[in-house]
Amino acid sequence: MFKKIGPGVLIAAAFIGPGTITACSIAGVGFGYALLWAMFLSILATMALQEMAARLGVVSQKGLALVIREQLKSKWIRIAVLMIIIGAILIGNTAYEAGNIGGATLGMTALFGNKYSVYYPFIVGFLAFALLWMGSYKVLEKVFVGLIFLMSLSFIVTAIITQPDVSLILKGLFLPTFPEEGLLTIIALVGTTVVPYNLFLHASLVNEKWKSKDDLRSVRWDTIVSIATGGFISMTIIIAAAAIPSKEIVGALDLAKGLEPLFGNAARYFMGVGLFAAGITSAITAPLAAAYVANNCFGWNADLKDWKFRLVWILILGVGVLSLSLKIRPIEIIQFAQIANGALLPVIAILLVWIVNKNEVMGKYRNSFIHNIIGFTIIVLSIFLGAKSIFKVFDLF
């Protein structure tokens, strides 16, 4: 079973970052178990899109951005789409990298205190740099399996400590409700799970492990098990947060602080380990995804150890470390990233469904009728989410 586990682990670890922990914490504190259904549907949507991206990667043996580039015959449409992709992924991931590294440093703060906190961003940055510099997919896979295990153990134990009501959990999971003022939280849960850059990352990473179409069954197994594990971890965070009486949750570390008075130091340490693992995985996958996108969009045909490939992720990682250590928050860049990602998700969802239906690209492995029904449903949802995220930046409603 474990030999069949592959890139899906990196994808699951990528979407469980500090942003997901914060969104899940706010959902649990504000609405208890009532929004578990939203996370459940987000996971199903993520599974469907990631399976399409992974299937495309194995069948074509190319990255998603490269296939998009080849299939868009109109020069101006191709340039426009590639500009959106480059803007959203390269600039967006650079803007968010400080938050990823910040999540890992918050985990270290929960574990080791504030005394040496000034050095934490550099420690996290060095760990991410060392793993990426090795340029070995197999090493990354093993490290991420370990980090996913740490996250699972940490957040599951934290949830168990709170002694949740199982009947209320099942109700929240299978009986959808729309609490007053809960729409933005629902959007945040979906937005932190269905992540555009993971589609590019997955399509490229499957080529590192699998070279044959005969491996598609293993690819699906890997995707379903890994994404389901990631979704389960996200749900345990919501369940743990539901036990906190305070409503003042604005960040991931607040969950650890909120649990400590109720359940002692154990909760803080378990949360600290989980937060560190979540932060370090996102701090690695965001630069890695950006490097793959640049590689495909510019047609470099570079491998993990190529200097151009390395230059992209070094730049993103370096900016993240410096921004966090110097306490710089370039709000305009972050707002641009939110707008670009809001526009990117529906565009990529449409292009992905279009491409995996093309006979010349996919042959007999193209989408089935059921795949397309699910795909079109996700496209409608992604257009709504994209519009809401853009309007939110401009405070239109």
Side-chain angles (χ1 to χ4, degrees):
M1 181 182 75
F2 289 106
K3 286 182 179 178
K4 294 180 181 179
I5 295 298
V9 173
L10 279 77
I11 303 305
F15 74 71
I16 310 170
T20 300
I21 296 174
T22 299
C24 291
S25 299
I26 291 170
V29 169
F31 307 100
Y33 308 135
L35 298 184
L36 283 171
W37 65 269
M39 177 54 67
F40 181 64
L41 290 181
S42 301
I43 292 303
L44 294 180
T46 302
M47 278 183 189
L49 286 179
Q50 294 296 158
E51 188 277 333
M52 291 181 204
R55 179 159 35 99
L56 171 66
V58 171
V59 172
S60 68
Q61 286 294 297
K62 297 173 183 175
L64 176 55
L66 181 58
V67 178
I68 289 172
R69 183 180 167 194
E70 291 175 349
Q71 293 302 312
L72 291 174
K73 306 303 180 185
S74 168
K75 178 183 176 182
W76 297 111
I77 294 176
R78 183 169 64 249
I79 291 172
V81 170
L82 290 178
M83 287 294 289
I84 292 173
I85 292 171
I86 291 169
I89 304 299
L90 267 69
I91 299 175
N93 286 14
T94 304
Y96 295 141
E97 183 66 358
N100 295 331
I101 296 169
T105 61
L106 286 176
M108 293 182 74
T109 301
L111 292 169
F112 306 115
N114 285 309
K115 188 175 181 182
Y116 301 106
S117 60
V118 68
Y119 302 111
Y120 294 163
F122 297 100
I123 294 171
V124 173
F126 175 77
L127 287 172
F129 179 90
L131 287 168
L132 286 168
W133 186 262
M134 288 178 191
S136 169
Y137 166 74
K138 288 184 178 179
V139 171
L140 281 176
E141 186 182 287
K142 288 175 182 175
V143 169
F144 273 64
V145 167
L147 290 171
I148 279 280
F149 176 76
L150 267 182
M151 272 193 272
S152 302
L153 183 66
S154 301
F155 294 129
I156 290 168
V157 170
T158 305
I160 291 171
I161 286 173
T162 64
Q163 298 178 335
D165 186 323
V166 176
S167 62
L168 291 178
I169 289 174
L170 293 174
K171 183 180 177 183
L173 199 56
F174 298 112
L175 293 176
T177 57
F178 293 86
E180 193 175 338
E181 300 180 354
L183 181 60
L184 285 179
T185 306
I186 292 170
I187 291 169
L189 289 174
V190 178
T192 58
T193 308
V194 188
V195 183
Y197 84 69
N198 276 345
L199 298 172
F200 296 94
L201 186 60
H202 206 171
S204 295
L205 284 176
V206 289
N207 300 333
E208 304 284 348
K209 187 175 180 76
W210 293 297
K211 303 294 183 184
S212 170
K213 295 169 187 174
D214 296 333
D215 294 317
L216 279 172
R217 188 174 180 182
S218 296
V219 173
R220 288 195 182 99
W221 168 264
D222 169 53
T223 301
I224 291 169
V225 172
S226 299
I227 303 298
T229 302
F232 183 67
I233 293 170
S234 298
M235 289 180 190
T236 61
I237 299 169
I238 296 175
I239 292 165
I244 300 175
S246 170
K247 301 294 180 184
E248 295 178 5
I249 297 288
V250 293
L253 191 60
D254 293 332
L255 177 55
K257 290 177 180 176
L259 289 168
E260 192 174 3
L262 294 171
F263 306 105
N265 287 334
R268 177 166 63 91
Y269 289 129
F270 278 115
M271 271 301 302
V273 170
L275 192 48
F276 171 77
I280 195 77
T281 53
S282 295
I284 292 169
T285 51
L288 187 62
Y292 273 121
V293 166
N295 188 31
N296 285 175
C297 286
F298 297 123
W300 292 340
N301 196 29
D303 61 23
L304 286 167
K305 294 184 178 180
D306 188 279
W307 69 268
K308 288 181 286 190
F309 191 93
R310 282 176 166 172
L311 189 62
V312 175
W313 65 252
I314 286 172
L315 183 64
I316 290 173
L317 183 61
V319 170
V321 171
L322 287 175
S323 298
L324 191 67
S325 58
L326 298 174
K327 301 191 186 319
I328 298 170
R329 272 190 67 81
I331 190 65
E332 292 84 4
I333 297 176
I334 292 173
Q335 285 182 332
F336 170 81
Q338 289 174 326
I339 293 168
N341 273 293
L344 182 65
L345 181 56
V347 170
I348 296 306
I350 290 167
L351 287 170
L352 180 60
V353 172
W354 171 59
I355 288 169
V356 291
N357 275 289
K358 294 197 68 145
N359 193 51
E360 65 183 271
V361 178
M362 301 299 291
K364 67 178 183 178
Y365 302 102
R366 61 188 181 274
N367 264 11
S368 66
F369 177 74
I370 298 297
H371 273 123
N372 284 329
I373 293 294
I374 296 169
F376 290 133
T377 304
I378 294 171
I379 286 170
V380 172
L381 177 64
S382 66
I383 291 171
F384 173 73
L385 289 173
K388 286 293 288 186
S389 66
I390 292 169
F391 291 144
K392 185 182 175 184
V393 170
F394 291 110
D395 291 323
L396 295 179
F397 65 84

